[in-house]
Structure formats: C-alpha cells, structure tokens
C-alpha cells in the first residue's frame, strides 16, 4: 500500500492535528505543502476540498477532508497506539472535546486572537485591538469549558492521550504564544498541566511549524 498523503501547510492547526496523528501512530507519510496565507486557496486544493480549506488527505485512492475524519481514519487504519478510548463514555468525551474545539475554541482563539495578534503583523499589517478585545471573553469561555472537562485527568479525554489532545494542541501552540494567554490560563491548572506534558511529546517537536 502507498503511504498516505496529507495536503496543506505545516503552519495550519488542522493540518498539524492530522500530522500529530500520523506521528503518534508512527505512519510514514508525505506532506504536500499548500500555501494560502499570501492569497487565495490554490485551485488544486479546492478540487480536493469543496469548501476551500486544508487539510485534505489521500490513502491508496481513498480521499478524505475534515481533520476529525482524517485523524479517526489514521487511528483506525494503521497499527500503533490507540488514539480513541474504547469505552462509550471515554469516546463520547473525546468527541465532545473535539466538537467544543471546532465550534467554540478555534474561532475566537485562532481566527480572531491569533490572526490579529500574530499573523496580521507578520504580513505587514496591524493588529485590530478591538477585534482582539471582543474575542477574549469567548476565548476564556472556551478555555474554561476545557478546564472543566479535563478536571484531574492527565489528558483531555481521560488517562490516555487521544485525538482530543491532538485537536487541541495546535491551537494551544499558537494561543500560548500570545500575551493574552497567560492571564486566561492563570486560573486553569488542569490545562496548564496538560500543556506542559503535551509539549514534551516527540510528535509536537516533529510537527513544529516555521511561521514567519
Ligand atoms: N472543518 C475543517 C476546518 C479546516 C480549516 O478551517 N482550515 C483552515 C486552516 S487551519 C483553512 O483552511 N483556512 C483557509 C481559509 O479559510 O481560507 C476541518 O476540520 O478540517
């Protein structure tokens, strides 16, 4: 069987989620870089992803898009450590956290805070401080929900690393690089402990993006 191919830029959080899954499973793969930061999404990527996003994925003629579908496929199709809890409650908790990240955390944290604080200046523009201020209550609300969900667990969905952690970590990598993160995380010891542990994984080092 051919190695899987992941299409997207290493700087994308959702691409990194899929790469983390591939690294945690130890799956040889190819990353085909697709850059969209300086302009439009390239046509060949829109052909792979009808909503014009990254990542897209292909394995032996099987094409997929949407990071959570890709990471679940990687976990189930390849040998290596299981990245999804086997019990009903653990699996539901993992799915809940992935959904919270997609629905309530990514938008305010990445699309608003990180884009304004980090990406706009990198592209030669200015941060929109009003947009950042407007996003912060929603960032805090999402982080508070994640703090409640992790509770005393080592990992977001329980006592083992799961796809929930791989979905959250790329968001945290950018979030914690903003000055707004420290005060928001100050009263969230569970997330603080989790992020310290997450950063030490080889998969995080191997997928570190070079942005800027
Ligand atoms: N629901 C999609 C979201 C993917 C997504 O938003 N990707 C971002 C990069 S992290 C993207 O493609 N942005 C380009 C754009 O919106 O034009 C998934 O889970 O894969």
């Amino acid at each position: 069987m051919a190695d899987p191919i992941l299409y997207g830029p290493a700087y994308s959080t959702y691409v990194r989620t899929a790469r983390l899954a591939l690294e945690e499973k130890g799956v040889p793969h190819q990353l085909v870089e697709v850059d969209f930061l300086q302009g439009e999404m390239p046509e060949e990527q829109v052909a792979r992803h009808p909503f014009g996003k990254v990542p897209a994925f292909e394995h032996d003629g099987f094409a997929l898009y949407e990071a959570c579908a890709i990471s679940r496929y990687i976990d189930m199709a390849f040998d290596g450590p299981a990245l999804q809890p086997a019990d009903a409650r653990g699996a539901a908790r993992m799915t809940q956290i992935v959904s919270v990240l997609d629905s309530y955390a990514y938008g305010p944290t990445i699309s608003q805070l990180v884009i304004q604080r980090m990406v706009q200046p990198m592209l030669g523009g200015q941060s929109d401080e009003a947009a950042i201020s407007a996003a912060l209550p929603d960032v805090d609300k999402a982080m508070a929900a994640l703090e409640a969900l992790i509770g005393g667990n080592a990992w977001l969905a329980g006592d083992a690393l799961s796809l929930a952690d791989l979905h959250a970590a790329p968001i945290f990598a950018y979030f914690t690089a903003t000055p707004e993160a420290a005060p928001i995380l100050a009263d969230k010891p569970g997330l603080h402990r989790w992020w310290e542990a997450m950063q030490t994984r080889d998969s995080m080092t191997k997928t570190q993006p070079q942005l800027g």
Side-chain angles (χ1 to χ4, degrees), residues 83-182:
L83 297 174
Q84 300 180 77
D87 65 301
R89 292 184 182 191
R93 186 67 77 210
M94 183 199 78
T95 305
Q96 179 188 20
I97 292 167
V98 169
S99 189
V100 165
L101 290 162
D102 283 344
S103 303
Y104 313 115
Y106 180 86
T109 309
I110 299 295
S111 303
Q112 294 175 52
L113 171 60
V114 169
I115 295 287
Q116 289 304 327
R117 178 62 73 225
M118 294 172 68
V119 179
Q120 285 296 359
M122 203 185 74
L123 296 176
Q126 282 200 326
S127 303
D128 180 339
E129 296 297 335
I132 291 174
S133 299
L136 290 181
D138 292 334
V139 176
D140 189 52
K141 191 171 179 179
M143 295 299 158
L146 294 172
E147 174 70 16
L149 288 166
I150 194 171
N153 294 327
W155 301 101
L156 285 172
D159 57 9
L161 181 89
S162 80
L163 299 181
D165 303 295
L166 310 188
H167 225 79
I171 297 174
F172 270 71
Y174 287 130
F175 173 49
T176 55
T178 69
E180 284 77 9

Side-chain angles (χ1 to χ4, degrees), residues 9 11-16 36-37 39-41 45 49 51-56 65-70 102 106 110-111 167 174:
Y11 57 71
S12 150
T13 57
Y14 283 111
V15 170
R16 195 175 187 190
F36 61 83
L37 218 46
E40 299 285 300
M41 189 63 77
Q45 180 63 14
H49 194 310
F51 301 97
K53 305 273 183 191
V54 292
Y65 59 86
E66 291 300 292
C68 80
I70 296 167
D102 283 344
Y106 180 86
I110 299 295
S111 303
H167 225 79
Y174 287 130

Side-chain angles (χ1 to χ4, degrees), residues 18 48 56 60 71 75 82 103 107 116 130 148 153-154 161 169 205:
R48 294 180 199 111
D60 242 5
S71 58
D75 185 39
S103 303
Q116 289 304 327
N153 294 327
L161 181 89
T205 310

Side-chain angles (χ1 to χ4, degrees), residues 3 10 32 34 49 56 59 75 94 146 178 192-193 202 205:
D3 289 347
V32 175
V34 176
H49 194 310
H59 182 219
D75 185 39
M94 183 199 78
L146 294 172
T178 69
H192 198 269
R193 188 185 65 239
D202 281 353
T205 310

